[in-house]
Amino acid sequence: MSRDVTGIAANEYERPMHGDNSRGQGAHRARRGRKTVGNFKLQAAGSDSISTEPVETATSSLGKTIVSLAALLAGISVFWFSHTQAVAIRCLVSAGLACLIAIGGLKKRSLDTSGAISAFFVGWITCFASFAMGVTLIAFFISSSLLTRLRSDIKKKTDEEFKEGGQRNVVQVLANGGLPTLLAAVIAALPFMQGHSMMATANLPVLVTGCLSAFVAYYACCCGDTWASELGVLSETPPRLITTFRVVPAGTNGGITLLGTAASGAGGLFIGACFSLASVCAPAGAVGGAGDWVSAVWAVPLGLAAGLVGSTIDSVLGATVQFSGYDTLKDKMSGSPGPGVEHVSGWSILNNHAVNFVSAALTSALALAIGTRG
């Protein structure tokens, strides 16, 4: 995403909302036999029951969170064990884990049907290739899905393309995961190609290092951009266009804020840290384990740099070759010209998915060049 969704400047872009003043007097009267203390409704004396909905809701939510975390840890443990076993077992466990990710995304509405199918193949190949790569993918998917739900009421008001839960389709999934999946496929194929004549003159350690560097950089860029867009709603200042620094409406492609920039760095750092931790915990001899250039130490600064650089590239592209307009009829930002749409910035050359892909691919290519320098 190339949008930094932040708060709208009150004087320029917010419109007052008029409440319904048609309530009868009865709406202001307390119900007979009840009184309210804090968040709880207490029955009058002689009644049998006490309503404790807030406590029950909080307890239920905490219970679900604990169960989800336990299931995640159990799944990662089985995933780790599979990378110590034969190829067939690793393939089956990777397919099962990818299936759970796809079904979970579909159930939580983070993915639509096409997105879930494509996410299955992305997850299967990535998890089969490397334990560290699989953990990185899972971390990206979970964090992005959770942040998409954050302050969704505000995002719905500013973005005409907003969907509850995110509901990413096949195009969005492949824009974020297509290229790194190809890199994972290369990593997965290397052990089976070492005896081939075309690999005789190849420097395998350098090739592995380059692929892992590019993989981490790609997801760091995507995660940084996602965090910047999703957390930008918390900013109290309106965004400024990265090319001119003029104030623009929230949701403008190429609009940046200090909070959004910090979030992009944090997202990249998160990916680097997840890959680093997974590398340290990976089974002995696994691809992406200790000993590779990108593992443990270098993955963290690489992730931070890729998050910041990738987000900057994304913002520049969004401000120049991606259309942004203000739809006066819907009172929302629009990504395409049309009736009632006032031009804000950019030419209509690339859409949002293309901008995401190009920025992440360029960041990944830069990391690949650095990773294969030796």
Short mmCIF file of all heavy atoms in Angstrom, two decimals, residues 125-150:
data_model
loop_
_atom_site.label_atom_id
_atom_site.label_comp_id
_atom_site.label_asym_id
_atom_site.label_seq_id
_atom_site.Cartn_x
_atom_site.Cartn_y
_atom_site.Cartn_z
N ILE A 125 5.36 -23.34 -0.38
CA ILE A 125 6.71 -23.26 -0.94
C ILE A 125 7.68 -22.62 0.04
O ILE A 125 8.80 -23.10 0.25
CB ILE A 125 6.69 -22.49 -2.27
CG1 ILE A 125 5.87 -23.26 -3.32
CG2 ILE A 125 8.11 -22.25 -2.78
CD1 ILE A 125 5.62 -22.49 -4.61
N THR A 126 7.23 -21.53 0.67
CA THR A 126 8.12 -20.80 1.59
C THR A 126 8.46 -21.63 2.82
O THR A 126 9.63 -21.69 3.24
CB THR A 126 7.46 -19.48 2.01
OG1 THR A 126 7.14 -18.70 0.85
CG2 THR A 126 8.40 -18.67 2.90
N CYS A 127 7.45 -22.27 3.41
CA CYS A 127 7.70 -23.07 4.62
C CYS A 127 8.53 -24.31 4.31
O CYS A 127 9.33 -24.75 5.14
CB CYS A 127 6.36 -23.49 5.24
SG CYS A 127 5.45 -22.12 5.99
N PHE A 128 8.38 -24.86 3.11
CA PHE A 128 9.19 -26.02 2.73
C PHE A 128 10.65 -25.63 2.54
O PHE A 128 11.56 -26.37 2.90
CB PHE A 128 8.64 -26.63 1.44
CG PHE A 128 9.48 -27.77 0.91
CD1 PHE A 128 9.40 -29.04 1.46
CD2 PHE A 128 10.38 -27.56 -0.13
CE1 PHE A 128 10.19 -30.08 0.99
CE2 PHE A 128 11.18 -28.59 -0.61
CZ PHE A 128 11.07 -29.86 -0.05
N ALA A 129 10.88 -24.46 1.99
CA ALA A 129 12.25 -24.04 1.65
C ALA A 129 13.13 -23.84 2.87
O ALA A 129 14.29 -24.26 2.89
CB ALA A 129 12.21 -22.76 0.82
N SER A 130 12.61 -23.19 3.91
CA SER A 130 13.45 -22.80 5.04
C SER A 130 12.59 -22.52 6.26
O SER A 130 11.52 -21.90 6.16
CB SER A 130 14.28 -21.57 4.68
OG SER A 130 14.76 -20.90 5.82
N PHE A 131 13.05 -22.96 7.42
CA PHE A 131 12.35 -22.68 8.67
C PHE A 131 12.30 -21.17 8.92
O PHE A 131 11.25 -20.62 9.25
CB PHE A 131 13.04 -23.38 9.84
CG PHE A 131 12.46 -23.05 11.18
CD1 PHE A 131 11.27 -23.62 11.59
CD2 PHE A 131 13.11 -22.17 12.03
CE1 PHE A 131 10.71 -23.30 12.84
CE2 PHE A 131 12.57 -21.84 13.28
CZ PHE A 131 11.37 -22.42 13.68
N ALA A 132 13.43 -20.49 8.78
CA ALA A 132 13.49 -19.05 9.02
C ALA A 132 12.61 -18.28 8.05
O ALA A 132 11.94 -17.31 8.43
CB ALA A 132 14.93 -18.56 8.94
N MET A 133 12.58 -18.70 6.80
CA MET A 133 11.73 -18.03 5.80
C MET A 133 10.26 -18.24 6.13
O MET A 133 9.44 -17.31 6.00
CB MET A 133 12.05 -18.56 4.40
CG MET A 133 13.46 -18.25 3.92
SD MET A 133 13.87 -19.09 2.36
CE MET A 133 13.62 -17.75 1.21
N GLY A 134 9.90 -19.43 6.56
CA GLY A 134 8.51 -19.71 6.91
C GLY A 134 8.05 -18.90 8.10
O GLY A 134 6.94 -18.34 8.09
N VAL A 135 8.87 -18.80 9.13
CA VAL A 135 8.52 -18.01 10.31
C VAL A 135 8.36 -16.53 9.93
O VAL A 135 7.45 -15.85 10.42
CB VAL A 135 9.59 -18.17 11.41
CG1 VAL A 135 9.37 -17.18 12.53
CG2 VAL A 135 9.57 -19.59 11.96
N THR A 136 9.21 -16.04 9.06
CA THR A 136 9.13 -14.64 8.61
C THR A 136 7.81 -14.38 7.88
O THR A 136 7.15 -13.36 8.12
CB THR A 136 10.31 -14.31 7.68
OG1 THR A 136 11.53 -14.54 8.37
CG2 THR A 136 10.25 -12.86 7.22
N LEU A 137 7.42 -15.30 7.02
CA LEU A 137 6.15 -15.17 6.30
C LEU A 137 4.97 -15.15 7.27
O LEU A 137 4.06 -14.32 7.14
CB LEU A 137 6.00 -16.32 5.30
CG LEU A 137 4.63 -16.43 4.62
CD1 LEU A 137 4.33 -15.21 3.76
CD2 LEU A 137 4.56 -17.70 3.77
N ILE A 138 4.98 -16.08 8.23
CA ILE A 138 3.89 -16.15 9.21
C ILE A 138 3.81 -14.86 10.02
O ILE A 138 2.73 -14.32 10.27
CB ILE A 138 4.09 -17.36 10.14
CG1 ILE A 138 3.95 -18.66 9.34
CG2 ILE A 138 3.07 -17.34 11.28
CD1 ILE A 138 4.34 -19.90 10.12
N ALA A 139 4.96 -14.32 10.43
CA ALA A 139 4.99 -13.08 11.20
C ALA A 139 4.42 -11.92 10.39
O ALA A 139 3.66 -11.09 10.92
CB ALA A 139 6.43 -12.77 11.63
N PHE A 140 4.78 -11.85 9.11
CA PHE A 140 4.26 -10.79 8.25
C PHE A 140 2.75 -10.90 8.09
O PHE A 140 2.03 -9.91 8.22
CB PHE A 140 4.93 -10.85 6.88
CG PHE A 140 4.28 -9.98 5.84
CD1 PHE A 140 4.37 -8.60 5.93
CD2 PHE A 140 3.57 -10.52 4.79
CE1 PHE A 140 3.77 -7.78 4.98
CE2 PHE A 140 2.97 -9.72 3.84
CZ PHE A 140 3.06 -8.34 3.94
N PHE A 141 2.26 -12.11 7.86
CA PHE A 141 0.83 -12.31 7.63
C PHE A 141 0.02 -11.95 8.88
O PHE A 141 -0.99 -11.25 8.80
CB PHE A 141 0.58 -13.77 7.24
CG PHE A 141 -0.88 -14.11 7.11
CD1 PHE A 141 -1.62 -13.68 6.02
CD2 PHE A 141 -1.52 -14.86 8.10
CE1 PHE A 141 -2.97 -13.97 5.91
CE2 PHE A 141 -2.86 -15.17 7.99
CZ PHE A 141 -3.59 -14.73 6.89
N ILE A 142 0.47 -12.42 10.05
CA ILE A 142 -0.28 -12.18 11.28
C ILE A 142 -0.29 -10.69 11.63
O ILE A 142 -1.33 -10.11 11.95
CB ILE A 142 0.30 -13.01 12.44
CG1 ILE A 142 0.04 -14.50 12.20
CG2 ILE A 142 -0.32 -12.58 13.77
CD1 ILE A 142 0.65 -15.40 13.26
N SER A 143 0.88 -10.05 11.57
CA SER A 143 0.95 -8.62 11.93
C SER A 143 0.12 -7.76 10.98
O SER A 143 -0.58 -6.84 11.42
CB SER A 143 2.40 -8.15 11.95
OG SER A 143 2.96 -8.14 10.65
N SER A 144 0.18 -8.06 9.69
CA SER A 144 -0.58 -7.28 8.72
C SER A 144 -2.09 -7.45 8.92
O SER A 144 -2.85 -6.49 8.84
CB SER A 144 -0.21 -7.71 7.29
OG SER A 144 1.16 -7.47 7.04
N SER A 145 -2.51 -8.69 9.20
CA SER A 145 -3.93 -8.96 9.41
C SER A 145 -4.46 -8.25 10.65
O SER A 145 -5.56 -7.69 10.64
CB SER A 145 -4.17 -10.47 9.52
OG SER A 145 -3.77 -11.13 8.34
N LEU A 146 -3.67 -8.27 11.73
CA LEU A 146 -4.10 -7.62 12.96
C LEU A 146 -4.17 -6.11 12.80
O LEU A 146 -5.13 -5.47 13.24
CB LEU A 146 -3.14 -7.98 14.10
CG LEU A 146 -3.17 -9.43 14.58
CD1 LEU A 146 -2.09 -9.66 15.65
CD2 LEU A 146 -4.54 -9.79 15.14
N LEU A 147 -3.17 -5.51 12.15
CA LEU A 147 -3.14 -4.06 12.02
C LEU A 147 -4.20 -3.54 11.05
O LEU A 147 -4.64 -2.40 11.16
CB LEU A 147 -1.75 -3.60 11.55
CG LEU A 147 -0.64 -3.72 12.60
CD1 LEU A 147 0.69 -3.27 12.02
CD2 LEU A 147 -0.97 -2.92 13.84
N THR A 148 -4.62 -4.38 10.10
CA THR A 148 -5.67 -3.97 9.17
C THR A 148 -6.97 -3.69 9.92
O THR A 148 -7.75 -2.81 9.53
CB THR A 148 -5.91 -5.06 8.12
OG1 THR A 148 -4.71 -5.22 7.35
CG2 THR A 148 -7.04 -4.68 7.18
N ARG A 149 -7.19 -4.40 11.02
CA ARG A 149 -8.41 -4.21 11.80
C ARG A 149 -8.34 -3.02 12.75
O ARG A 149 -9.36 -2.59 13.29
CB ARG A 149 -8.71 -5.48 12.62
CG ARG A 149 -9.07 -6.67 11.76
CD ARG A 149 -9.30 -7.91 12.63
NE ARG A 149 -9.84 -9.00 11.84
CZ ARG A 149 -9.12 -9.81 11.07
NH1 ARG A 149 -7.81 -9.63 11.00
NH2 ARG A 149 -9.68 -10.76 10.38
N LEU A 150 -7.16 -2.48 12.95
CA LEU A 150 -6.99 -1.37 13.88
C LEU A 150 -7.63 -0.10 13.35
O LEU A 150 -7.36 0.34 12.24
CB LEU A 150 -5.49 -1.14 14.13
CG LEU A 150 -5.12 -0.05 15.13
CD1 LEU A 150 -5.58 -0.44 16.53
CD2 LEU A 150 -3.62 0.19 15.12
#
